[in-house]
Amino acid sequence: MIVSRSLLKIAFLSVSSFFFSQEVNLKNIQKLTFGGDNAEAYFSPDSKKLTMQVTNPLIGAHCDQIYLLDLTKKNIGTKDLQRISNGEGRTTCSFFMPDGKHILYASTFESNKECPAKPKPRTDGKYLWPVYAEFDIYIADLNGKITKKLTDSPGYDAEAVVSPDGKYIVFTSSRSGDLELWRMDIDGKNLKQLTFGLGYDGGAFFSHDSKKLVFRSSRPKTPEGIKDYKDLLAENLVAPTEMEIYTMNIDGSDLKQITHLGKANWSPYFHPSDKSIVFSSNHHSTKGYDFQIYSIDLDGKNLHQITYESEFNAFPMFSPDGKKFVFSSNRHGETPHETNVFMADWVESDPAELVSEKNLLNTVSYLASDELKGRLAGSEGEDKASEYISKEFQNLKLKPLDGKNYTQTFSYDVKLNPHEDQSSVKVNTRNVIGYLDNKAAKTIVIGAHYDHLGLNEHHNSTLMNSEGQIHNGADDNASGVSAVLELARIFSQNKAKENANYVFALFSGEEDGLMGSKVFAESIKSKYPSVVAMINLDMVGRLNKNKDLTVGGVGTSPVFGEIIKKYKPAGFNLAVDSSGVGPSDHTSFYLKNIPVLFLFTGTHSDYHKPTDDTDKINFTGLKNITSYVFNLANGLASEQNIPFTKTKISASKAVPKYKVTLGIMPSYADTKDGLHIDGVTENRPASNAGIQSADILLRIGKCVVKEVYSYMDCLAKINSGDELPVTILRDGKEMTMNVKF
């Protein structure tokens, strides 16, 4: 991101079908229930029925009861639910037996035909689950007749599931004094304890090959956590706020913790391939209650968000044939916190579209290594960076900018001492541009700058006396480059052919005043079909614990406000800035009337210092931001029209503390013939006086303007309310206007 020396830059239904565009794995989503609390829906072996747990007084289910839903009926809804528990006590955790004609479920009815009381609200506000000691496991036919009782031991016995091969039942029991997983034969014989670690092991399901189990567990580690767990369990209560996903073999061996996400990760189920797991989690949440469904590989890699809509999505399950996906959600409820069952066609993810954290790490590690010595524009280190980027584009078979060359060379002068005319040096450098031609009618630019401060030769560091020290610029802006390269890989290697062409642009000279992006923006409209938007990633590597992400430029098109919210990653808090002008490369495109979006995770104590290193990058956050931009770019590609809107200039950290403003966007090149004006803001002094973009500012009153530094000196002498003659050069002719500041 551009440095503080550029102080004048300005920053920032019966069956109802639903489709939420970001939920690409779910197609033809159908709402199956309407009203009440409907959850834990599981398929029959032939995929034609669901059994589920329902509380809905309107249909007589005043306390959790088990219902059957026939999926072969037309116009499915709550009216089609058929109760198959006996209507007494509280029931939970139903599952079909192998014959498809009987179900398992747990019930308290033998202890008390009335519904057991829920836990009383705690004075400490802690959220708790009851584990009723009265629960036992039963088998019933589909008419509700109980045919067998499987457990008769004191304590909690529930959460029973059947292996796909029909040999075993696994359930959770407190018979050992702790909540552990147990296994029995399908007839209830040959009990075997599978888990032994202190904590609540539950919600188990078999893999499709019947060889493994996946489950969630709370495993307290600290003395305080252990005491709290034991004290609550003594009251038949658990706190389901810290749970992770585990797998093991069906004999209890090879126990592995799959997630290390924190908070509550639960309701896991194996993907039909048995190579990944779907589960519900609130690990992403920074504010309030928010559960989304994710998938993760068995090695704990490739965490992928599946649901985005509403604040509760859980209990995912695949049909035995792998074609359907059922889950419970708060979406589209008629009353607050209403939970209904939804079913969708499952669509496999394109593996190429999964953002690789390893790729991001590799790119940042190389660009921010000491070998490149800070990537100063025009330096040998920056040349190495441009060669690295060009090679990546070549490997991805992107089209070069011209012929076989991915680079766009240019030069500019930069003054090393604003008070010495003889301190100006020429910088010869290059942008690196790759083009994905989808033969579409419109084009979207995704860009970042790859230069940084080098050894502070241009005196842009925020650390005093840091000349000679390497400024690696991991966040600024190796992070943005890594995201652009990963997006280039995804868009060029995936199976889809998007409705837009994509330009992947890596700019040089940003730290000296947006030099590279200005050069590229000058001719972009003539090079590519209908450039409709530019997305700029600058400093996106330091997502904080609150997941605060600034999105600038939102006011530059009326479609942006809705689209940035639609694709927002779970748990992210967006700080929205409408202005199209800011301290980074998107400004150059905004000034050419192109709608822009600017993503930025904020400044920090290492900003423009030698300490901006790779080990401080939040790569998980960077991965999620990269995925966000992928979805944004896809969403924009589908928009029929992205109109451009001029915006007001908003304040930022880079706004100078002057008494007046002229209202121009200055060029930062050391031009010596006056200050070249890149843009003019409406309803500001320059605009009101008739000054235009591309004019060259020569004098303000008697104060001579040679470049940006003398302009700043002149501006500092003016008071609000002053009216002065301002001389500009337009098309080779001098003109003087009266400007009221």
Side-chain angles (χ1 to χ4, degrees):
M1 180 166 290
I2 193 166
V3 73
S4 55
R5 78 182 277 175
S6 306
L7 287 174
L8 292 175
K9 289 212 169 170
I10 311 300
F12 359 68
L13 322 169
S14 50
V15 176
S16 302
S17 292
F18 300 99
F19 180 70
F20 191 65
S21 57
Q22 198 168 359
E23 296 177 340
V24 295
N25 297 108
L26 308 180
K27 186 178 180 182
N28 299 324
I29 301 177
Q30 293 179 310
K31 186 177 181 181
L32 301 181
T33 62
F34 298 81
D37 191 0
N38 309 268
E40 299 193 49
Y42 303 120
F43 283 97
S44 60
D46 61 5
S47 302
K48 294 181 179 180
K49 299 181 181 66
L50 288 175
T51 177
M52 68 184 72
Q53 178 180 301
V54 176
T55 295
N56 187 349
L58 294 179
I59 62 171
H62 296 277
C63 181
D64 289 340
Q65 293 295 318
I66 305 303
Y67 281 77
L68 184 74
L69 186 63
D70 186 347
L71 298 175
T72 64
K73 291 185 176 182
K74 294 182 178 180
N75 302 322
I76 303 171
T78 299
K79 61 180 175 54
D80 298 302
L81 288 172
Q82 171 193 343
R83 181 166 57 79
I84 47 176
S85 57
N86 62 12
E88 299 174 349
R90 185 184 295 275
T91 63
T92 190
C93 307
S94 58
F95 205 83
F96 275 94
M97 293 295 284
D99 63 1
K101 299 178 181 179
H102 294 81
I103 59 160
L104 288 168
Y105 68 88
S107 177
T108 63
F109 81 94
E110 279 193 299
S111 174
N112 192 331
K113 297 184 185 301
E114 301 300 319
C115 189
K118 293 183 178 181
K120 294 180 180 179
R122 303 260 301 197
T123 56
D124 58 9
K126 184 176 291 186
Y127 176 62
L128 300 175
W129 279 352
V131 283
Y132 298 110
E134 298 82 5
F135 269 130
D136 276 306
I137 300 170
Y138 302 85
I139 297 177
D141 63 24
L142 300 190
N143 294 316
K145 180 182 178 182
I146 293 176
T147 59
K148 189 171 186 177
K149 183 179 181 181
L150 288 174
T151 62
D152 195 15
S153 176
Y156 179 84
D157 291 300
E159 306 174 38
V161 294
V162 181
S163 61
D165 62 10
K167 292 181 179 180
Y168 299 112
I169 294 171
V170 164
F171 63 104
T172 296
S173 177
S174 62
R175 64 186 63 205
S176 68
D178 190 19
L179 290 163
E180 306 286 6
L181 290 178
W182 289 72
R183 191 187 78 191
M184 59 176 132
D185 293 346
I186 195 69
D187 59 5
K189 297 178 180 179
N190 296 322
L191 278 168
K192 177 181 175 64
Q193 186 174 344
L194 300 180
T195 61
F196 297 86
L198 182 71
Y200 181 11
D201 300 330
F205 288 97
F206 285 89
S207 58
H208 294 77
D209 63 8
S210 299
K211 293 180 179 180
K212 285 189 172 292
L213 289 163
V214 63
F215 62 100
R216 45 93 180 144
S217 178
S218 63
R219 297 277 175 110
K221 304 295 184 185
T222 65
E224 295 81 4
I226 292 171
K227 181 180 184 305
D228 191 40
Y229 172 76
K230 289 182 176 180
D231 288 347
L232 287 172
L233 188 59
E235 300 178 51
N236 294 319
L237 298 170
V238 291
T241 51
E242 295 181 12
M243 300 185 290
E244 299 289 353
I245 306 300
Y246 290 75
T247 61
M248 64 181 177
N249 294 332
I250 60 169
D251 62 0
S253 63
D254 196 25
L255 177 69
K256 293 180 180 177
Q257 183 175 341
I258 306 302
T259 63
H260 297 81
L261 298 172
K263 297 191 179 180
N265 305 278
W266 61 301
S267 65
Y269 201 85
F270 276 101
H271 179 272
S273 68
D274 285 340
K275 294 180 180 179
S276 62
I277 298 160
V278 291
F279 65 102
S280 181
S281 176
N282 70 339
H283 76 274
H284 56 268
S285 179
T286 54
K287 295 180 180 178
Y289 176 87
D290 184 10
F291 283 91
Q292 301 298 335
I293 296 172
Y294 290 82
S295 69
I296 193 169
D297 290 350
L298 290 187
D299 59 4
K301 297 179 181 178
N302 291 325
L303 181 69
H304 171 62
Q305 188 174 342
I306 294 171
T307 62
Y308 288 81
E309 190 178 5
S310 88
E311 61 183 13
F312 181 80
N313 298 274
F315 304 111
M317 184 197 186
F318 290 94
S319 60
D321 59 15
K323 295 180 179 180
K324 296 290 186 179
F325 185 82
V326 68
F327 64 104
S328 299
S329 177
N330 287 155
R331 65 186 66 197
H332 308 299
E334 295 182 4
T335 60
H337 307 300
E338 177 182 314
T339 304
N340 286 296
V341 173
F342 294 79
M343 185 173 65
D345 296 330
W346 177 256
V347 180
E348 285 298 334
S349 297
D350 183 346
E353 293 185 352
L354 297 177
V355 177
S356 168
E357 198 168 311
K358 182 179 179 181
N359 289 348
L360 299 173
L361 172 63
N362 289 343
T363 297
V364 173
S365 297
Y366 176 68
L367 294 179
S369 66
D370 286 352
E371 178 187 344
L372 270 61
K373 296 183 178 178
R375 311 185 309 280
L376 181 76
S379 70
E380 181 182 346
E382 196 205 40
D383 286 347
K384 290 182 178 179
S386 69
E387 290 168 5
Y388 174 87
I389 296 165
S390 295
K391 186 176 180 181
E392 288 295 307
F393 284 168
Q394 185 177 19
N395 291 339
L396 296 174
K397 296 181 172 55
L398 297 180
K399 286 189 175 183
L401 180 68
D402 293 305
K404 296 182 179 180
N405 196 348
Y406 290 97
T407 57
Q408 178 187 37
T409 59
F410 62 98
S411 62
Y412 60 93
D413 293 327
V414 59
K415 188 180 286 187
L416 302 184
N417 186 334
H419 304 294
E420 294 181 11
D421 288 340
Q422 304 306 313
S423 68
S424 184
V425 297
K426 182 174 287 293
V427 176
N428 297 303
T429 186
R430 50 189 170 175
N431 296 325
V432 189
I433 312 296
Y435 179 51
L436 176 62
D437 187 359
N438 284 323
K439 309 299 181 184
K442 58 192 172 190
T443 302
I444 295 170
V445 180
I446 304 176
H449 74 90
Y450 74 98
D451 66 308
H452 194 53
L453 309 188
L455 307 182
N456 196 26
E457 294 95 329
H458 294 178
H459 311 305
N460 289 337
S461 178
T462 59
L463 181 67
M464 295 290 290
N465 303 316
S466 60
E467 285 75 10
Q469 297 184 45
I470 299 175
H471 291 61
N472 282 321
D475 187 27
D476 189 10
N477 185 31
S479 65
V481 177
S482 71
V484 173
L485 291 182
E486 182 64 358
L487 290 163
R489 180 195 66 78
I490 291 172
F491 279 116
S492 63
Q493 304 301 306
N494 66 357
K495 298 174 184 177
K497 188 173 183 180
E498 291 78 19
N499 296 322
N501 312 307
Y502 290 103
V503 175
F504 303 100
L506 285 311
F507 308 113
S508 180
E510 193 271 356
E511 301 290 8
D512 290 326
L514 315 185
M515 299 303 181
S517 57
K518 179 184 175 184
V519 169
F520 185 62
E522 288 288 344
S523 59
I524 188 171
K525 289 186 176 180
S526 63
K527 288 182 178 293
Y528 304 104
S530 183
V531 178
V532 296
M534 189 271 175
I535 303 174
N536 180 32
L537 295 108
D538 192 353
M539 295 177 64
V540 288
R542 294 285 196 98
L543 190 71
N544 62 21
K545 63 180 181 180
N546 294 323
K547 300 185 181 177
D548 297 321
L549 176 67
T550 295
V551 183
V554 177
T556 62
S557 179
V559 307
F560 284 164
E562 179 65 27
I563 210 163
I564 66 164
K565 294 176 182 176
K566 178 190 288 187
Y567 295 105
K568 180 178 74 72
F572 271 47
N573 298 304
L574 300 184
V576 177
D577 182 5
S578 294
S579 177
V581 177
S584 192
D585 290 307
H586 60 287
T587 300
S588 300
F589 297 85
Y590 169 78
L591 294 173
K592 297 300 179 183
N593 296 338
I594 296 172
V596 297
L597 288 173
F598 167 44
L599 282 80
F600 171 54
T601 54
T603 55
H604 42 76
S605 60
D606 301 302
Y607 171 67
H608 278 198
K609 289 187 174 73
T611 50
D612 181 8
D613 289 323
T614 301
D615 61 349
K616 295 176 182 175
I617 298 298
N618 176 355
F619 282 101
T620 299
L622 179 55
K623 172 187 172 182
N624 290 335
I625 291 169
T626 305
S627 181
Y628 180 35
V629 176
F630 170 70
N631 289 329
L632 282 175
N634 255 330
L636 291 173
S638 299
E639 291 288 332
Q640 289 188 347
N641 187 29
I642 306 176
F644 173 76
T645 306
K646 288 189 176 182
T647 64
K648 295 180 179 180
I649 294 179
S650 61
S652 81
K653 63 181 179 62
V655 175
K657 293 182 174 61
Y658 289 94
K659 291 175 282 188
V660 298
T661 178
L662 185 55
I664 63 170
M665 185 65 197
S667 167
Y668 287 81
D670 185 21
T671 50
K672 298 184 178 63
D673 61 342
L675 178 70
H676 290 232
I677 298 173
D678 286 347
V680 178
T681 304
E682 291 183 335
N683 299 319
R684 295 294 179 93
S687 172
N688 294 339
I691 295 174
Q692 301 174 7
S693 176
D695 288 346
I696 300 173
L697 180 60
L698 302 178
R699 290 181 297 279
I700 301 177
K702 296 180 180 180
C703 189
V704 177
V705 177
K706 296 181 180 180
E707 24 56 353
V708 68
Y709 303 106
S710 54
Y711 167 64
M712 286 158 47
D713 291 338
C714 293
L715 206 63
K717 301 172 184 177
I718 304 171
N719 294 308
S720 179
D722 288 353
E723 188 168 345
L724 295 170
V726 173
T727 304
I728 57 100
L729 190 68
R730 180 182 298 167
D731 298 328
K733 297 180 180 179
E734 282 195 14
M735 302 175 62
T736 300
M737 294 93 160
N738 283 327
V739 175
K740 185 171 183 178
F741 291 89

PDB file of all heavy atoms in Angstrom, residues 303-322:
ATOM      1  N   LEU A 303     -10.622 -27.265   4.353  1.00  0.00           N
ATOM      2  CA  LEU A 303     -11.873 -26.830   4.979  1.00  0.00           C
ATOM      3  C   LEU A 303     -12.647 -25.987   3.974  1.00  0.00           C
ATOM      4  O   LEU A 303     -12.114 -25.043   3.391  1.00  0.00           O
ATOM      5  CB  LEU A 303     -11.562 -26.020   6.236  1.00  0.00           C
ATOM      6  CG  LEU A 303     -12.768 -25.503   7.028  1.00  0.00           C
ATOM      7  CD1 LEU A 303     -13.509 -26.658   7.688  1.00  0.00           C
ATOM      8  CD2 LEU A 303     -12.316 -24.493   8.077  1.00  0.00           C
ATOM      9  N   HIS A 304     -13.911 -26.316   3.779  1.00  0.00           N
ATOM     10  CA  HIS A 304     -14.710 -25.681   2.720  1.00  0.00           C
ATOM     11  C   HIS A 304     -16.110 -25.397   3.251  1.00  0.00           C
ATOM     12  O   HIS A 304     -16.785 -26.294   3.759  1.00  0.00           O
ATOM     13  CB  HIS A 304     -14.774 -26.613   1.504  1.00  0.00           C
ATOM     14  CG  HIS A 304     -15.721 -26.194   0.439  1.00  0.00           C
ATOM     15  ND1 HIS A 304     -15.591 -25.005  -0.254  1.00  0.00           N
ATOM     16  CD2 HIS A 304     -16.832 -26.795  -0.072  1.00  0.00           C
ATOM     17  CE1 HIS A 304     -16.573 -24.901  -1.133  1.00  0.00           C
ATOM     18  NE2 HIS A 304     -17.337 -25.972  -1.036  1.00  0.00           N
ATOM     19  N   GLN A 305     -16.536 -24.167   3.143  1.00  0.00           N
ATOM     20  CA  GLN A 305     -17.864 -23.780   3.627  1.00  0.00           C
ATOM     21  C   GLN A 305     -18.927 -24.152   2.600  1.00  0.00           C
ATOM     22  O   GLN A 305     -18.792 -23.868   1.411  1.00  0.00           O
ATOM     23  CB  GLN A 305     -17.905 -22.276   3.906  1.00  0.00           C
ATOM     24  CG  GLN A 305     -19.192 -21.821   4.592  1.00  0.00           C
ATOM     25  CD  GLN A 305     -19.149 -20.353   4.985  1.00  0.00           C
ATOM     26  OE1 GLN A 305     -18.070 -19.748   5.065  1.00  0.00           O
ATOM     27  NE2 GLN A 305     -20.305 -19.768   5.223  1.00  0.00           N
ATOM     28  N   ILE A 306     -20.002 -24.788   3.068  1.00  0.00           N
ATOM     29  CA  ILE A 306     -21.062 -25.257   2.178  1.00  0.00           C
ATOM     30  C   ILE A 306     -22.301 -24.370   2.259  1.00  0.00           C
ATOM     31  O   ILE A 306     -22.863 -23.984   1.244  1.00  0.00           O
ATOM     32  CB  ILE A 306     -21.427 -26.718   2.502  1.00  0.00           C
ATOM     33  CG1 ILE A 306     -20.234 -27.623   2.168  1.00  0.00           C
ATOM     34  CG2 ILE A 306     -22.671 -27.166   1.742  1.00  0.00           C
ATOM     35  CD1 ILE A 306     -20.390 -29.040   2.632  1.00  0.00           C
ATOM     36  N   THR A 307     -22.758 -24.058   3.478  1.00  0.00           N
ATOM     37  CA  THR A 307     -23.930 -23.195   3.618  1.00  0.00           C
ATOM     38  C   THR A 307     -23.504 -21.788   4.020  1.00  0.00           C
ATOM     39  O   THR A 307     -22.487 -21.592   4.675  1.00  0.00           O
ATOM     40  CB  THR A 307     -24.920 -23.734   4.663  1.00  0.00           C
ATOM     41  OG1 THR A 307     -24.271 -23.774   5.947  1.00  0.00           O
ATOM     42  CG2 THR A 307     -25.422 -25.112   4.294  1.00  0.00           C
ATOM     43  N   TYR A 308     -24.327 -20.821   3.641  1.00  0.00           N
ATOM     44  CA  TYR A 308     -24.057 -19.424   3.956  1.00  0.00           C
ATOM     45  C   TYR A 308     -25.292 -18.701   4.486  1.00  0.00           C
ATOM     46  O   TYR A 308     -25.180 -17.712   5.186  1.00  0.00           O
ATOM     47  CB  TYR A 308     -23.567 -18.675   2.707  1.00  0.00           C
ATOM     48  CG  TYR A 308     -22.164 -19.043   2.287  1.00  0.00           C
ATOM     49  CD1 TYR A 308     -21.915 -20.198   1.548  1.00  0.00           C
ATOM     50  CD2 TYR A 308     -21.085 -18.234   2.616  1.00  0.00           C
ATOM     51  CE1 TYR A 308     -20.624 -20.539   1.154  1.00  0.00           C
ATOM     52  CE2 TYR A 308     -19.798 -18.557   2.232  1.00  0.00           C
ATOM     53  CZ  TYR A 308     -19.573 -19.708   1.499  1.00  0.00           C
ATOM     54  OH  TYR A 308     -18.290 -20.038   1.117  1.00  0.00           O
ATOM     55  N   GLU A 309     -26.450 -19.181   4.120  1.00  0.00           N
ATOM     56  CA  GLU A 309     -27.667 -18.445   4.446  1.00  0.00           C
ATOM     57  C   GLU A 309     -28.206 -18.835   5.818  1.00  0.00           C
ATOM     58  O   GLU A 309     -28.178 -20.009   6.191  1.00  0.00           O
ATOM     59  CB  GLU A 309     -28.741 -18.699   3.383  1.00  0.00           C
ATOM     60  CG  GLU A 309     -29.932 -17.777   3.551  1.00  0.00           C
ATOM     61  CD  GLU A 309     -30.979 -17.974   2.474  1.00  0.00           C
ATOM     62  OE1 GLU A 309     -30.819 -18.883   1.647  1.00  0.00           O
ATOM     63  OE2 GLU A 309     -31.953 -17.214   2.468  1.00  0.00           O
ATOM     64  N   SER A 310     -28.694 -17.872   6.543  1.00  0.00           N
ATOM     65  CA  SER A 310     -29.291 -17.989   7.869  1.00  0.00           C
ATOM     66  C   SER A 310     -28.220 -18.227   8.917  1.00  0.00           C
ATOM     67  O   SER A 310     -27.045 -18.441   8.613  1.00  0.00           O
ATOM     68  CB  SER A 310     -30.366 -19.077   7.939  1.00  0.00           C
ATOM     69  OG  SER A 310     -29.824 -20.342   8.250  1.00  0.00           O
ATOM     70  N   GLU A 311     -28.624 -18.208  10.189  1.00  0.00           N
ATOM     71  CA  GLU A 311     -27.656 -18.305  11.286  1.00  0.00           C
ATOM     72  C   GLU A 311     -27.611 -19.698  11.909  1.00  0.00           C
ATOM     73  O   GLU A 311     -26.913 -19.915  12.883  1.00  0.00           O
ATOM     74  CB  GLU A 311     -27.986 -17.274  12.357  1.00  0.00           C
ATOM     75  CG  GLU A 311     -29.356 -17.454  12.974  1.00  0.00           C
ATOM     76  CD  GLU A 311     -29.686 -16.369  13.977  1.00  0.00           C
ATOM     77  OE1 GLU A 311     -28.968 -15.368  14.019  1.00  0.00           O
ATOM     78  OE2 GLU A 311     -30.679 -16.544  14.711  1.00  0.00           O
ATOM     79  N   PHE A 312     -28.338 -20.649  11.356  1.00  0.00           N
ATOM     80  CA  PHE A 312     -28.267 -22.016  11.859  1.00  0.00           C
ATOM     81  C   PHE A 312     -28.431 -23.005  10.713  1.00  0.00           C
ATOM     82  O   PHE A 312     -29.454 -23.035  10.029  1.00  0.00           O
ATOM     83  CB  PHE A 312     -29.341 -22.286  12.913  1.00  0.00           C
ATOM     84  CG  PHE A 312     -29.283 -23.694  13.465  1.00  0.00           C
ATOM     85  CD1 PHE A 312     -28.358 -24.034  14.432  1.00  0.00           C
ATOM     86  CD2 PHE A 312     -30.130 -24.680  12.985  1.00  0.00           C
ATOM     87  CE1 PHE A 312     -28.277 -25.333  14.936  1.00  0.00           C
ATOM     88  CE2 PHE A 312     -30.075 -25.977  13.482  1.00  0.00           C
ATOM     89  CZ  PHE A 312     -29.140 -26.304  14.452  1.00  0.00           C
ATOM     90  N   ASN A 313     -27.404 -23.825  10.503  1.00  0.00           N
ATOM     91  CA  ASN A 313     -27.443 -24.919   9.542  1.00  0.00           C
ATOM     92  C   ASN A 313     -26.699 -26.091  10.177  1.00  0.00           C
ATOM     93  O   ASN A 313     -25.536 -25.939  10.583  1.00  0.00           O
ATOM     94  CB  ASN A 313     -26.765 -24.533   8.234  1.00  0.00           C
ATOM     95  CG  ASN A 313     -27.449 -23.373   7.528  1.00  0.00           C
ATOM     96  OD1 ASN A 313     -28.392 -23.559   6.764  1.00  0.00           O
ATOM     97  ND2 ASN A 313     -26.973 -22.154   7.791  1.00  0.00           N
ATOM     98  N   ALA A 314     -27.349 -27.236  10.274  1.00  0.00           N
ATOM     99  CA  ALA A 314     -26.730 -28.368  10.971  1.00  0.00           C
ATOM    100  C   ALA A 314     -27.384 -29.670  10.518  1.00  0.00           C
ATOM    101  O   ALA A 314     -28.269 -29.684   9.664  1.00  0.00           O
ATOM    102  CB  ALA A 314     -26.843 -28.200  12.484  1.00  0.00           C
ATOM    103  N   PHE A 315     -26.929 -30.781  11.126  1.00  0.00           N
ATOM    104  CA  PHE A 315     -27.442 -32.128  10.877  1.00  0.00           C
ATOM    105  C   PHE A 315     -27.417 -32.494   9.388  1.00  0.00           C
ATOM    106  O   PHE A 315     -28.413 -32.922   8.820  1.00  0.00           O
ATOM    107  CB  PHE A 315     -28.864 -32.280  11.431  1.00  0.00           C
ATOM    108  CG  PHE A 315     -28.985 -31.962  12.888  1.00  0.00           C
ATOM    109  CD1 PHE A 315     -29.679 -30.836  13.308  1.00  0.00           C
ATOM    110  CD2 PHE A 315     -28.381 -32.762  13.844  1.00  0.00           C
ATOM    111  CE1 PHE A 315     -29.785 -30.529  14.662  1.00  0.00           C
ATOM    112  CE2 PHE A 315     -28.482 -32.460  15.193  1.00  0.00           C
ATOM    113  CZ  PHE A 315     -29.181 -31.345  15.607  1.00  0.00           C
ATOM    114  N   PRO A 316     -26.255 -32.352   8.735  1.00  0.00           N
ATOM    115  CA  PRO A 316     -26.178 -32.746   7.323  1.00  0.00           C
ATOM    116  C   PRO A 316     -26.116 -34.257   7.170  1.00  0.00           C
ATOM    117  O   PRO A 316     -25.523 -34.960   7.985  1.00  0.00           O
ATOM    118  CB  PRO A 316     -24.868 -32.096   6.871  1.00  0.00           C
ATOM    119  CG  PRO A 316     -24.008 -32.102   8.109  1.00  0.00           C
ATOM    120  CD  PRO A 316     -24.964 -31.855   9.253  1.00  0.00           C
ATOM    121  N   MET A 317     -26.741 -34.759   6.139  1.00  0.00           N
ATOM    122  CA  MET A 317     -26.662 -36.189   5.832  1.00  0.00           C
ATOM    123  C   MET A 317     -26.841 -36.395   4.333  1.00  0.00           C
ATOM    124  O   MET A 317     -27.650 -35.722   3.697  1.00  0.00           O
ATOM    125  CB  MET A 317     -27.750 -36.976   6.561  1.00  0.00           C
ATOM    126  CG  MET A 317     -27.649 -38.484   6.345  1.00  0.00           C
ATOM    127  SD  MET A 317     -29.142 -39.386   6.769  1.00  0.00           S
ATOM    128  CE  MET A 317     -28.602 -41.088   6.562  1.00  0.00           C
ATOM    129  N   PHE A 318     -26.087 -37.325   3.774  1.00  0.00           N
ATOM    130  CA  PHE A 318     -26.248 -37.711   2.381  1.00  0.00           C
ATOM    131  C   PHE A 318     -27.192 -38.905   2.279  1.00  0.00           C
ATOM    132  O   PHE A 318     -27.217 -39.771   3.156  1.00  0.00           O
ATOM    133  CB  PHE A 318     -24.905 -38.115   1.775  1.00  0.00           C
ATOM    134  CG  PHE A 318     -23.954 -36.976   1.585  1.00  0.00           C
ATOM    135  CD1 PHE A 318     -23.011 -36.678   2.556  1.00  0.00           C
ATOM    136  CD2 PHE A 318     -24.002 -36.196   0.437  1.00  0.00           C
ATOM    137  CE1 PHE A 318     -22.129 -35.626   2.383  1.00  0.00           C
ATOM    138  CE2 PHE A 318     -23.134 -35.144   0.256  1.00  0.00           C
ATOM    139  CZ  PHE A 318     -22.190 -34.848   1.239  1.00  0.00           C
ATOM    140  N   SER A 319     -27.942 -38.943   1.196  1.00  0.00           N
ATOM    141  CA  SER A 319     -28.729 -40.138   0.921  1.00  0.00           C
ATOM    142  C   SER A 319     -27.769 -41.287   0.604  1.00  0.00           C
ATOM    143  O   SER A 319     -26.641 -41.063   0.157  1.00  0.00           O
ATOM    144  CB  SER A 319     -29.672 -39.894  -0.260  1.00  0.00           C
ATOM    145  OG  SER A 319     -28.934 -39.565  -1.425  1.00  0.00           O
ATOM    146  N   PRO A 320     -28.189 -42.529   0.836  1.00  0.00           N
ATOM    147  CA  PRO A 320     -27.301 -43.672   0.570  1.00  0.00           C
ATOM    148  C   PRO A 320     -26.758 -43.711  -0.854  1.00  0.00           C
ATOM    149  O   PRO A 320     -25.645 -44.184  -1.076  1.00  0.00           O
ATOM    150  CB  PRO A 320     -28.194 -44.878   0.857  1.00  0.00           C
ATOM    151  CG  PRO A 320     -29.140 -44.384   1.901  1.00  0.00           C
ATOM    152  CD  PRO A 320     -29.436 -42.953   1.507  1.00  0.00           C
ATOM    153  N   ASP A 321     -27.531 -43.182  -1.827  1.00  0.00           N
ATOM    154  CA  ASP A 321     -27.028 -43.174  -3.203  1.00  0.00           C
ATOM    155  C   ASP A 321     -26.145 -41.966  -3.479  1.00  0.00           C
ATOM    156  O   ASP A 321     -25.608 -41.814  -4.584  1.00  0.00           O
ATOM    157  CB  ASP A 321     -28.182 -43.235  -4.213  1.00  0.00           C
ATOM    158  CG  ASP A 321     -29.156 -42.063  -4.079  1.00  0.00           C
ATOM    159  OD1 ASP A 321     -28.820 -41.059  -3.414  1.00  0.00           O
ATOM    160  OD2 ASP A 321     -30.263 -42.153  -4.644  1.00  0.00           O
ATOM    161  N   GLY A 322     -25.986 -41.075  -2.485  1.00  0.00           N
ATOM    162  CA  GLY A 322     -25.094 -39.939  -2.614  1.00  0.00           C
ATOM    163  C   GLY A 322     -25.629 -38.788  -3.443  1.00  0.00           C
ATOM    164  O   GLY A 322     -24.934 -37.787  -3.638  1.00  0.00           O
TER     165      GLY A 322
END
